Amino acid sequence: MLTINADDFGRCVVATDRTLACFAANRINAASAMVFMQDSERAAALAVASELNVGLHINFTEAFTASYVPPSLRRSHERLRRFLRASKYALVVYNPLLRSAFREVFTAQLEEFTRLYGWVPSRMDGHQHMHLSTNMLVDGLFPAGVRVRRNFSFTAGEKSFANRYYRRLVDRALAKRCQIGDFLFSLSQQCSISQLRRVAALAKSYDVELIAHPQVNVEFETLLSDEFATIIATAHNKFSIPARADVKPANSLCSSDRGSVPLQLGANVPPHITVCICTFRRPIYLKRLLENLQEQSTGVLFTFSAVVCDNDANQSAAPIMSAARETATFDITYCCEPRQNIALARNKALEQAHGDFVAFIDDDEFPVANWLQSLLSACDTYAADGVLGPVRPHFESSPPSWILKGRFCQRPEHTTGMKMQWNQCRTGNLLFRRRILEGLAHPFREEFGTGGEDKDFFVRLTEQGCVFVWCNEAIAYETVLPSRYSRRCMMRRALLRGRISLKFPVGRLRLLGRSAVAVPLYCMALTVLFLLGQHWFMRYCVKLCDHLGRLLAVLGINPISEREA
């Protein structure tokens, strides 16, 4: 269920009129009304006449602008305003000296709402979210059973752990006495198309509220846009949303007398995923990967095919491909990019891709049976443009103990649903919607040569508003060869990694500054670290080479000629 709620109804003439315009255009289905404000009485009359679903918007922080507010109430309200506006942390502090003021101001607004609208509000929220101040919660001022707005919903990458933990405690305390929704978002923070799609997708299975402020020009334009109407229509399985403001108004997005959304042509056809694999002289691992793809469970929810791009001019993968296509239960397309450049190979594979989604996996990796299903499910659940999954090491022989202790082959993993930053993304285990490539003649740029083309890919897409999330269930395993255990290999790769990091203008000076400080510090610390154990010593040797690679690149020195596999 999706509730699109316009806040600040009755605050002023603009807020009232724009809220009613959005309701008439069927872009909102609820509003929260402020009382004792300039336009509160007119707003109430108009809301009753239009049958707008209105709840109480409790105001502790903005001065009452109506002329008929009792002087004693105005004084109590002013005390609360001074306290709550003194610090952004004031709402978490319980002030025993203001107990009576909180009760008086809340009760007065509740009674005024009942007088204006003719009913007791079944929904309550607060201006600037101050209804969740500690005084309100500890003193139990909300009537039992009423629906109260919860805290905003954030993922691990958007707020700190302490922030999210506090919000979780407040929501749990609130839920013991009142009704709350599953998710809460603000239109001002979910204004991109991909973010709104995520909200609409969640609303198919959860109770979701989206807050809007029509008096804000940007939000008003978004609410009345055709893109917004199309997206929110997907959140309702039975009801259509008019795409234009001049369509006959409806009473509610959830009105049972609205017509059903017409099925699109081919809507019953499951989505198709093209798995792109770029390979270079790894026939054994390529064969294993294709065999693992045979075991992918689709659950008739999707279909898939594969494109293998051979980046070897001698087409060393051709024999493997001929044998694989004889036994494969899915379509496999083989192509060759003779110019040895990973960016060109990726672009060649994308030229052969078709369907709704594209997945990338490296030729030395192999996935679990529910790999594609997990990626696709996460993409739909979080309405994301793309999804990344973990790549875990697969050792073909037992590595030295210091490799395991130092976790040299481990990559960072995250909570499912976490929004990823561009510098956390890579193509080793990735699925994205094919439409995000529209307008990109060359998705991967060949000038990046030996590496960095994937980071550049994600930089450009995130700048366009694309959202990528994490799915920790979509696991792929990467073969770690014994040659990768060598100290020389690790240090060479770190030097190259440091050089590649400067190809991106974002944060370049900051990285160089950190490296200039880190190199001498790490050099001094290595002697002590050697005494602590080989894994500690090598961990900081690798870090040193990462920083050294950047500084050498600035000086025009390149100690390595190519990346070791």
Side-chain angles (χ1 to χ4, degrees):
M1 179 179 73
L2 176 62
T3 301
I4 304 176
N5 191 91
D7 279 7
D8 302 344
F9 186 62
R11 178 185 183 186
C12 59
V13 172
V14 174
T16 300
D17 290 348
R18 287 191 174 183
T19 296
L20 291 171
C22 290
F23 180 62
N26 207 16
R27 294 324 205 294
I28 65 169
N29 58 354
S32 294
M34 301 177 76
V35 297
F36 297 124
M37 301 301 287
Q38 176 191 62
D39 205 42
S40 293
E41 291 193 325
R42 186 179 77 98
L46 292 172
V48 171
S50 62
E51 299 182 1
L52 174 61
N53 179 4
V54 180
L56 173 60
H57 197 55
I58 305 163
N59 173 21
F60 290 137
T61 56
E62 185 169 342
F64 291 145
T65 55
S67 59
Y68 54 86
V69 181
S72 61
L73 176 61
R74 199 182 290 276
R75 286 193 296 270
S76 296
H77 186 253
E78 186 59 33
R79 291 179 63 199
L80 298 184
R81 289 184 67 230
R82 287 197 301 268
F83 170 66
L84 293 174
R85 291 161 64 97
S87 168
K88 65 179 181 179
Y89 299 110
L91 83 165
V92 307
V93 177
Y94 181 80
N95 189 334
L97 301 178
L98 294 177
R99 288 187 63 191
S100 59
F102 269 103
R103 185 177 296 276
E104 177 188 0
V105 173
F106 170 70
T107 302
Q109 293 185 64
L110 180 58
E111 292 175 349
E112 177 67 3
F113 180 96
T114 305
R115 182 187 74 83
L116 290 174
Y117 288 88
W119 65 79
V120 178
S122 59
R123 295 185 298 106
M124 297 183 185
D125 51 59
H127 193 54
Q128 299 175 343
H129 234 61
M130 291 298 176
H131 68 294
L132 296 183
S133 59
T134 302
N135 274 75
M136 288 290 293
L137 299 173
V138 171
D139 291 340
L141 297 183
F142 292 114
V146 71
R147 182 180 175 92
V148 178
R149 180 178 287 169
R150 58 171 292 139
N151 276 289
F152 284 112
S153 303
F154 293 106
T155 61
E158 296 172 326
K159 292 290 182 180
S160 67
F161 172 78
N163 188 303
R164 288 181 289 111
Y165 185 70
Y166 169 76
R167 293 170 186 270
R168 192 179 304 124
L169 290 177
V170 170
D171 289 341
R172 286 177 180 173
L174 196 63
K176 292 179 180 179
R177 181 179 176 84
C178 306
Q179 301 178 44
I180 65 172
D182 296 318
F183 292 94
L184 175 68
F185 301 101
S186 173
L187 182 60
S188 63
Q189 297 175 335
Q190 305 289 325
C191 55
S192 73
I193 298 301
S194 57
Q195 290 170 320
L196 287 173
R197 287 198 182 98
R198 176 198 174 202
V199 173
L202 285 171
K204 294 179 181 179
S205 306
Y206 299 96
D207 183 352
V208 179
E209 181 180 359
L210 179 65
I211 302 172
H213 297 85
Q215 69 270 27
V216 177
N217 290 335
V218 173
E219 295 193 37
F220 184 60
E221 292 169 1
T222 300
L223 287 167
L224 293 183
S225 67
D226 288 349
E227 291 87 351
F228 182 81
T230 302
I231 290 169
I232 62 174
T234 64
H236 305 278
N237 296 325
K238 297 181 178 179
F239 315 110
S240 62
I241 309 299
R244 290 170 40 185
D246 57 355
V247 176
K248 181 181 178 181
N251 288 337
S252 169
L253 295 181
C254 300
S255 301
S256 57
D257 58 349
R258 296 300 107 197
S260 61
V261 177
L263 288 174
Q264 297 180 353
L265 183 63
N268 58 338
V269 177
H272 184 82
I273 304 172
T274 299
V275 181
C276 291
I277 307 163
C278 298
T279 187
F280 179 72
R281 298 179 183 176
R282 286 174 173 166
I284 296 175
Y285 300 125
L286 176 62
K287 180 175 181 292
R288 180 181 61 189
L289 171 56
L290 294 173
E291 289 173 349
N292 272 267
L293 288 178
Q294 291 266 83
E295 302 172 3
Q296 284 297 298
S297 58
T298 64
V300 301
L301 300 175
F302 63 93
T303 59
F304 75 95
S305 59
V307 173
V308 176
C309 182
D310 194 346
N311 203 197
D312 182 7
N314 296 323
Q315 300 188 21
S316 56
I320 296 295
M321 295 306 305
S322 298
R325 281 192 281 196
E326 291 180 0
T327 58
T329 56
F330 58 93
D331 292 334
I332 304 177
T333 300
Y334 175 70
C335 58
C336 179
E337 173 51 68
R339 296 167 292 177
Q340 194 175 335
N341 183 305
I342 185 60
L344 294 176
R346 295 193 197 282
N347 288 337
K348 188 77 170 183
L350 287 173
E351 290 174 6
Q352 309 296 322
H354 65 280
D356 310 282
F357 296 85
V358 174
F360 269 104
I361 189 167
D362 291 346
D363 60 350
D364 60 346
E365 297 175 355
F366 58 95
V368 294
N370 65 340
W371 172 58
L372 288 174
Q373 191 170 347
S374 297
L375 290 172
L376 186 62
S377 175
C379 198
D380 180 62
T381 299
Y382 298 98
D385 295 294
V387 183
L388 297 97
V391 177
R392 297 174 181 172
H394 172 74
F395 300 102
E396 294 197 328
S397 60
S398 298
S401 59
W402 63 270
I403 291 285
L404 299 177
K405 287 182 180 179
R407 301 176 64 85
F408 290 99
C409 300
Q410 304 287 339
R411 302 190 190 187
E413 296 188 13
H414 313 282
T415 305
T416 296
M418 173 180 163
K419 181 179 176 181
M420 305 294 288
Q421 303 300 316
W422 68 266
N423 55 359
Q424 298 173 306
C425 299
R426 31 122 187 103
T427 51
N429 181 355
L430 167 70
L431 177 138
F432 58 86
R433 300 180 191 273
R434 189 165 170 267
R435 58 172 169 74
I436 69 174
L437 300 179
E438 295 175 4
L440 294 179
H442 303 289
F444 296 93
R445 298 199 288 199
E446 63 178 296
E447 57 264 32
F448 280 85
T450 55
E453 81 295 334
D454 52 350
K455 298 292 185 185
D456 171 71
F457 173 77
F458 288 108
V459 166
R460 288 181 288 137
L461 287 174
T462 52
E463 286 178 349
Q464 294 176 12
C466 292
V467 173
F468 295 88
V469 301
W470 184 263
C471 177
N472 213 47
E473 294 75 34
I475 303 167
Y477 291 93
E478 178 188 27
T479 301
V480 183
L481 299 173
S483 60
R484 298 268 292 275
Y485 305 161
S486 73
R487 301 171 183 80
R488 180 175 178 271
C489 176
M490 289 184 176
M491 295 169 69
R492 284 174 61 90
R493 289 168 66 88
L495 286 169
L496 179 64
R497 193 164 52 239
R499 179 162 60 88
I500 289 174
S501 68
L502 294 185
K503 292 184 178 182
F504 310 101
V506 181
R508 183 173 178 174
L509 292 177
R510 177 176 54 84
L511 291 175
L512 287 172
R514 288 174 57 187
S515 295
V517 174
V519 167
L521 291 177
Y522 286 164
C523 287
M524 290 187 291
L526 286 179
T527 303
V528 176
L529 291 169
F530 181 79
L531 300 176
L532 296 177
Q534 190 170 178
H535 62 290
W536 281 105
F537 178 76
M538 278 305 301
R539 178 183 297 178
Y540 282 89
C541 274
V542 170
K543 288 179 179 289
L544 172 63
C545 289
D546 271 311
H547 292 290
L548 194 59
R550 291 177 191 151
L551 299 180
L552 292 176
V554 172
L555 299 175
I557 302 173
N558 181 14
I560 53 177
S561 58
E562 63 182 20
R563 182 174 180 171
E564 293 187 7

